[in-house]
Amino acid sequence: MKATKLAIMLASMMALGVSTSFGADFSKLDDAALVKKIASLSAQDEPEFVMEVHKRLKAKDEPQAKAFRDAIHQARKAAHEKLSKEQRQSRAVEVCKAMQKKTDSMSGKEIREAGLKVHSDCERLKESKRKEPKCHDHKDKPKEKPSDKPKKDK
């Protein structure tokens, strides 16, 4: 009985360890498959994805890198448009937390070389980026015409 429990625990721990230690391996995908992968990318796989894209961009010459970057950008934009505002915000927080987890054991130099971005406060990403103007409305102020301005003497 004890041996069976021990064997089951060992097997489950090994299975869990194997599934979490490998993560997503994007290095085996070609560029087109990598671009298609964006639509189904989980927040936890985002750091590895960003690192792979950064590595490929550095290896390409400028026109190829620009075309690849544009394809990535368009695929991300299409994937984000399918999400609601709340889903986009919660995904941004999840990605931020995954980035923080990934970069916790890295030095600043390693983070920069990997192309990762780190935010100090992930919960702040939930807030709207559009802010109300701090000053009052200027609609009631008459507009000055160029001819109304006093001329400077030379």
Side-chain angles (χ1 to χ4, degrees):
M1 181 82 171
K2 286 183 181 181
T4 307
K5 283 184 182 180
L6 183 62
I8 291 173
M9 281 186 10
L10 244 166
S12 63
M13 286 174 52
M14 286 177 56
L16 181 65
V18 168
S19 67
T20 59
S21 66
F22 291 118
D25 185 16
F26 298 108
S27 62
K28 296 177 181 172
L29 299 175
D30 64 341
D31 290 350
L34 196 65
V35 171
K36 287 180 185 177
K37 186 76 174 166
I38 291 174
S40 63
L41 192 63
S42 72
Q44 287 71 29
D45 292 339
E46 188 77 24
E48 287 83 12
F49 181 82
V50 170
M51 290 169 59
E52 181 63 28
V53 168
H54 184 74
K55 182 176 76 173
R56 289 184 188 200
L57 286 172
K58 285 175 65 176
K60 295 178 183 300
D61 61 347
E62 191 172 337
Q64 290 177 335
K66 184 179 180 336
F68 183 58
R69 188 180 312 110
D70 290 343
I72 294 285
H73 177 73
Q74 292 299 324
R76 277 193 188 276
K77 187 176 178 180
H80 281 214
E81 286 175 353
K82 293 178 182 177
L83 301 174
S84 69
K85 181 179 177 182
E86 292 80 20
Q87 289 172 327
R88 282 193 301 271
Q89 287 175 339
S90 65
R91 176 166 169 73
V93 171
E94 290 174 17
V95 168
C96 180
K97 288 179 180 177
M99 290 284 192
Q100 282 182 341
K101 186 176 179 182
K102 179 71 175 179
T103 58
D104 280 345
S105 61
M106 298 171 78
S107 69
K109 184 179 179 183
E110 290 172 327
I111 292 169
R112 285 188 300 279
E113 287 175 353
L116 298 175
K117 295 180 183 176
V118 182
H119 297 281
S120 60
D121 184 15
C122 293
E123 294 301 319
R124 219 174 65 203
L125 294 174
K126 285 184 180 178
E127 299 171 6
S128 175
K129 291 185 180 179
R130 295 185 82 184
K131 299 200 177 184
E132 296 298 321
K134 293 182 180 179
C135 64
H136 62 281
D137 191 19
H138 294 281
K139 290 181 182 176
D140 57 335
K141 184 177 177 182
K143 294 181 181 178
E144 291 184 15
K145 295 179 182 174
S147 61
D148 293 343
K149 293 182 180 179
K151 296 181 181 178
K152 293 183 181 179
D153 291 333
K154 291 186 179 180

